[in-house]
């Protein structure tokens, strides 16, 4: 955009488009731009360069206010339940996270909780084998709660630092499948009070405003603790995060930037905003 | 919803007669909001709004409608028309096998949809050969074999071959041996900006010369749907589209973006994870979803 030129209405229109195209959404775009529009109209910001800086600062602020890192030290094992809609990247993200934490010297145990989809158990087992990490599984069709129960028990008995439980993808509007997740949370909590310590919702950056419905409904059902956004290596910018983090006050734990084990990054608001508004 | 919002705008209008420019523009602002909230890509919205404007300004308000309802009707009819008014099935090739190539982003539902298509063909008496050409995703090949076993449909065994192009080429010989009437090739998910994988897709297409390239897209896609579809279409030429995960509450604006930029028919929608959850596409249901 145009540096030291005097601010005109075109700049704000251009910014509105940039935000909308980034999937920020109508309401959130208006919210983000409203203070800026007022300051411009009252002549308190006079240069394009300044508008951009103010805008980015505001956006970084929205994303930063709920950020805090995951800390495992007070719980052993620290139990993470991974949830999200079909194809969002849960199993792959678990594979990446497990390897990442094992490399940091943590003892990790995985649970193949997707007992429904074809070859879902096999898929997680391949990731586990590649990092030489134990994976608890039962046969296809087994009950998610039974697998989760086994895994948390094993995690406790083997003194693991982390237990990560994979679940089958499900649309947030499928009441029965959301009930299944509520039940597994209760079951896990009975084996190990306070567990799962992190309910992690995996969102796909390519998805539009429906991510907001996903976040809201998964949160209503389960009280989500953190988010992961995947597929940011594509052209989608994941702008829905402004609405979701602002509204639900959730931290973004990691971002996925590809399909390989190393394609996992810490979420850094400044980098995220810079990619959205270059 | 949009209908109510337009009604509220037009309550201020005194008489009937003709749809005037400022009133049409006010309504179009509301329609733009609805389409953005529905995930229709911005450039697609711009063209659509311009076309509706041309149709609406100066139009006589029908005696049976209010101006607000008239605007909704114009928008509804135009969107329905653009989405393709009727179901167009995959054409069976005059000389078998009919070769179908699946393409799309990661996680869009390609492998599952191969299963659904195989079931549909089998029920019509056509025997299929499914080809697992995704060599990257852990257990992707196994996933297709599981579906094949579940359906009693043959799945090509590539043995030690690791190159997707070679797998596809050899699978066609197998199809001849088995006298398969339909070959459906499952490919790895790929980002449209991944040059190496887009090149691989082009090579697969060049090698097998498919009769049908199906773009499998997640109905929940956001603003990038237009660019993504256009890139796939420019790279390999899409013949048809399948929109998956329509059993959720996504508005589905991506359907319109994809149809608009490729001009290719949406053939089916995925309505669930089971292999019978594939329905022929009819525009009316998705139009009301998009308009909210
Ligand atoms: N490009 C890209 N692809 C990703 C990323 N994360 C996951 N994927 C791919 O997305 C596809 C789906 O990933 P999965 O891990 O199977 O997703 P899932 O949520 O477990 O899917 P279901 O269990 O079927 O609901 C796979 O092809 C992954 O390789 C990412 O950050 N970038
Ligand atoms: N609810 C719902 N889920 C679907 C539909 N189609 C596919 N899925 C699910 O979406 C997820 C991804 O499906 P896959 O068939 O593995 O997707 P893919 O495109 O082959 O994924 P990659 O090979 O990794 O690119 C799985 O959990 C499927 O069960 C649908 O129409 N509705
Ligand atoms: Mg999975
Ligand atoms: Mg697949």
């Amino acid at each position: 955009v145009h540096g030291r030129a005097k601010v005109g209405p075109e700049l704000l229109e251009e910014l509105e488009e940039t935000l909308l195209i980034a999937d920020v959404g109508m309401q959130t775009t208006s919210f983000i731009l409203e203070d800026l529009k007022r300051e411009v109209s009252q002549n308190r910001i006079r240069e394009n360069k300044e508008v951009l800086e103010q805008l980015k600062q505001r956006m970084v602020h929205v994303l930063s206010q709920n950020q805090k890192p995951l800390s495992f030290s007070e719980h052993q094992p620290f139990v993470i339940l991974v949830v999200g809609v079909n194809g969002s990247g849960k199993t792959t993200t678990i594979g990446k996270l497990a390897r990442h934490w094992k490399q940091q010297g943590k003892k990790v145990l995985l649970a193949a909780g997707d007992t429904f989809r074809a070859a879902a158990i096999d898929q997680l087992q391949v990731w586990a084998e590649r990092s030489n990490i134990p994976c608890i599984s039962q046969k296809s069709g087994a009950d998610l709660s039974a697998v989760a129960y086994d895994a948390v028990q094993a995690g406790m008995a083997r003194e693991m630092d982390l237990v990560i439980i994979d679940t089958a993808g499900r649309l947030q509007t499928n009441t029965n499948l959301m009930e299944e997740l509520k039940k597994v949370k209760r079951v896990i909590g009975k084996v190990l009070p306070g567990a799962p310590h992190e309910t992690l919702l995996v969102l796909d950056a390519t998805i539009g405003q429906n991510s907001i419905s996903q976040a809201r409904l998964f949160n209503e059902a389960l009280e989500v603790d953190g988010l992961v956004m995947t597929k940011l290596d594509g052209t989608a910018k994941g702008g829905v995060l402004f609405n979701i983090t602002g509204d639900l006050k959730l931290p973004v734990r990691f971002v996925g930037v590809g399909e390989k084990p190393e394609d996992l990054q810490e979420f850094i608001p400044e980098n995220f905003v810079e990619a959205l508004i270059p | 919803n949009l209908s109510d919002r337009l009604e509220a705008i037009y309550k201020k209008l005194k008489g009937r007669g003709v749809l005037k420019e400022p009133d049409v523009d006010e309504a179009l602002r509301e329609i733009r909001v609805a389409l953005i909230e529905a995930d229709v890509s911005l450039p697609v919205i711009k063209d659509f709004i311009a076309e509706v404007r041309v149709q609406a300004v100066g139009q006589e308000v029908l005696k049976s409608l209010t101006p607000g309802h008239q605007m909704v009707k114009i928008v509804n009819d135009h969107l329905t028309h653009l989405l393709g008014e009727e179901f167009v099935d995959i054409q069976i090739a005059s000389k078998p096998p009919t070769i179908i190539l699946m393409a799309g982003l990661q996680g869009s539902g390609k492998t599952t949809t191969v299963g659904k298509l195989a079931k549909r063909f089998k029920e019509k008496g056509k025997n299929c050969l499914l080809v697992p050409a995704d060599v990257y995703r852990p257990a992707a090949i196994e996933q297709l074999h599981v579906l094949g076993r579940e359906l009693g449909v043959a799945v090509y065994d590539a043995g030690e071959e690791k190159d997707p192009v070679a797998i596809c080429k050899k699978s066609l010989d197998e199809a001849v041996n088995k006298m398969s009437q339909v070959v459906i090739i499952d490919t790895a998910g790929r980002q449209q900006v991944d040059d190496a994988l887009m090149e691989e897709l082009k090579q697969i297409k060049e090698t097998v010369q498919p009769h049908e390239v199906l773009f499998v897209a997640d109905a929940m896609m956001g603003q990038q749907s237009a660019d993504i579809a256009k890139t796939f279409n420019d790279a390999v030429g899409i013949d048809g589209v399948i929109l998956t995960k329509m059993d959720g509450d996504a508005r589905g604006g991506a359907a319109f973006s994809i149809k608009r930029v490729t001009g290719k028919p949406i053939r089916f929608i995925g309505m669930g994870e089971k292999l019978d959850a594939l329905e022929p596409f009819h525009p009316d249901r998705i139009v009301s979803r998009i308009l909210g």
Side-chain angles (χ1 to χ4, degrees), chain B residues 110-112 134 137 140 143 186-189:
Chain B
K110 298 174 293 301
T111 307
T112 307
D134 179 355
R137 169 172 155 157
Q143 186 181 359
D186 185 24
T187 60

Side-chain angles (χ1 to χ4, degrees), chain B residues 128-143:
Chain B
C128 296
L129 178 66
L130 310 183
V131 182
D134 179 355
V135 301
Y136 310 104
R137 169 172 155 157
I141 295 175
E142 176 59 13
Q143 186 181 359

Side-chain angles (χ1 to χ4, degrees), chain A residues 16-17 20-21 23 26 86 116-118 123 171-173 206-210 213-214 231 234-235 259, chain B residues 32 36 39 46 105-106 137-139 143 146 191-193 220-224 245 247-250 273:
Chain A
E16 187 199 52
E17 270 207 18
L20 289 176
I21 289 179
D23 291 316
M26 200 75 223
N86 308 75
F116 166 74
R117 204 208 69 212
Q123 186 186 1
L171 298 183
Q172 68 278 21
T173 43
T206 328
I207 303 305
Q209 299 306 298
N210 196 259
S213 162
Q214 292 175 24
K231 308 181 197 173
T235 51
E259 303 187 78
Chain B
R32 176 177 179 267
I36 292 172
D39 292 322
K46 283 201 176 114
L105 297 178
Q106 287 91 346
R137 169 172 155 157
Q143 186 181 359
V146 171
Q191 295 290 329
Q192 84 281 14
V193 288
M220 312 183 275
M221 280 170 95
Q223 286 286 319
Q224 288 301 312
K245 308 178 203 171
D247 43 313
D249 65 351
E273 296 193 73

Side-chain angles (χ1 to χ4, degrees), chain B:
Chain B
N1 65 21
L2 180 65
S3 235
D4 303 330
R5 296 210 282 238
L6 293 182
E7 275 310 292
I9 292 175
Y10 285 117
K11 267 200 166 20
K12 311 180 233 150
L13 293 185
K14 297 201 194 65
R16 304 234 155 145
V18 159
L19 291 173
K20 301 202 191 56
E21 209 166 299
D23 303 321
V24 168
D25 282 338
E26 191 170 359
L28 290 178
R29 275 192 287 280
E30 285 299 327
I31 290 164
R32 176 177 179 267
V33 169
L35 294 177
I36 292 172
E37 290 175 349
D39 292 322
V40 180
S41 299
L42 239 49
V44 172
I45 295 177
K46 283 201 176 114
D47 291 344
F48 180 76
I49 297 283
E51 290 162 8
V52 168
R53 193 169 188 283
V54 164
Q55 286 183 27
V57 172
Q59 200 183 86
E60 183 104 13
V61 179
L62 298 176
K63 293 215 172 31
S64 54
L65 295 174
T66 64
H69 280 145
Q70 180 102 347
M71 272 311 288
V72 174
K73 181 169 188 329
I74 294 171
V75 170
N76 216 301
D77 291 352
H78 192 47
L79 192 53
T80 306
H81 171 70
L82 290 174
L83 278 172
E85 318 229 20
E86 35 161 62
F87 168 57
V88 186
D89 203 344
I90 298 168
Q91 237 193 337
I92 295 295
S94 45
K95 182 166 169 296
T98 300
I99 302 171
I100 301 173
L101 178 63
M102 312 293 280
L105 297 178
Q106 287 91 346
S108 61
K110 298 174 293 301
T111 307
T112 307
T113 304
V114 170
K116 293 177 180 180
L117 288 171
K119 182 167 170 52
R120 183 179 165 87
F121 279 117
K122 181 170 185 197
E123 286 166 0
K124 295 190 167 185
K126 301 251 176 272
N127 83 63
C128 296
L129 178 66
L130 310 183
V131 182
D134 179 355
V135 301
Y136 310 104
R137 169 172 155 157
I141 295 175
E142 176 59 13
Q143 186 181 359
L144 198 63
H145 280 280
V146 171
L147 296 183
R149 281 196 293 275
E150 190 178 326
L151 293 169
V153 170
V155 179
Y156 174 64
D157 182 353
E160 293 305 314
E161 184 55 73
K162 295 280 181 288
D163 169 29
V165 180
I167 291 173
C168 292
K169 185 168 198 305
K170 292 182 189 177
S171 76
L172 295 187
D173 299 329
E174 177 79 345
V176 168
N177 293 339
K178 288 177 120 60
M179 297 202 279
S180 311
Q181 292 158 298
V182 182
V183 172
I184 312 177
I185 301 172
D186 185 24
T187 60
R190 65 205 66 218
Q191 295 290 329
Q192 84 281 14
V193 288
D194 185 327
D195 295 335
L197 283 183
M198 290 306 284
E199 183 56 33
E200 172 193 281
L201 189 61
K202 285 184 195 164
Q203 287 185 17
I204 293 176
K205 174 169 191 201
E206 191 58 31
T207 302
V208 305
Q209 298 285 314
H211 302 93
E212 175 88 2
V213 175
L214 283 173
F215 181 58
V216 178
D218 195 319
M220 312 183 275
M221 280 170 95
Q223 286 286 319
Q224 288 301 312
S225 61
D227 259 8
I228 292 167
K230 178 161 192 321
T231 306
F232 272 90
N233 196 29
D234 290 346
V236 291
I238 296 170
D239 297 297
V241 179
I242 297 187
L243 215 57
T244 62
K245 308 178 203 171
M246 283 283 284
D247 43 313
D249 65 351
R251 296 273 291 272
F256 181 41
S257 304
I258 295 170
K259 177 75 176 49
R260 198 56 200 236
V261 305
T262 63
K264 302 300 163 64
I266 299 173
R267 301 215 190 272
F268 297 99
I269 59 171
M271 285 295 288
E273 296 193 73
K274 300 219 176 73
L275 298 181
D276 57 5
L278 189 72
E279 297 176 9
F281 175 74
H282 288 299
D284 10 358
R285 276 167 60 197
I286 194 163
V287 168
S288 46
R289 258 170 101 138
I290 291 176
L291 294 179

Side-chain angles (χ1 to χ4, degrees), chain A residues 1-15:
Chain A
V1 203
H2 326 277
R4 300 190 70 90
K6 172 123 184 19
V7 183
E10 310 81 28
L11 175 64
L12 290 169
E13 273 180 34
E14 230 175 278
L15 287 176

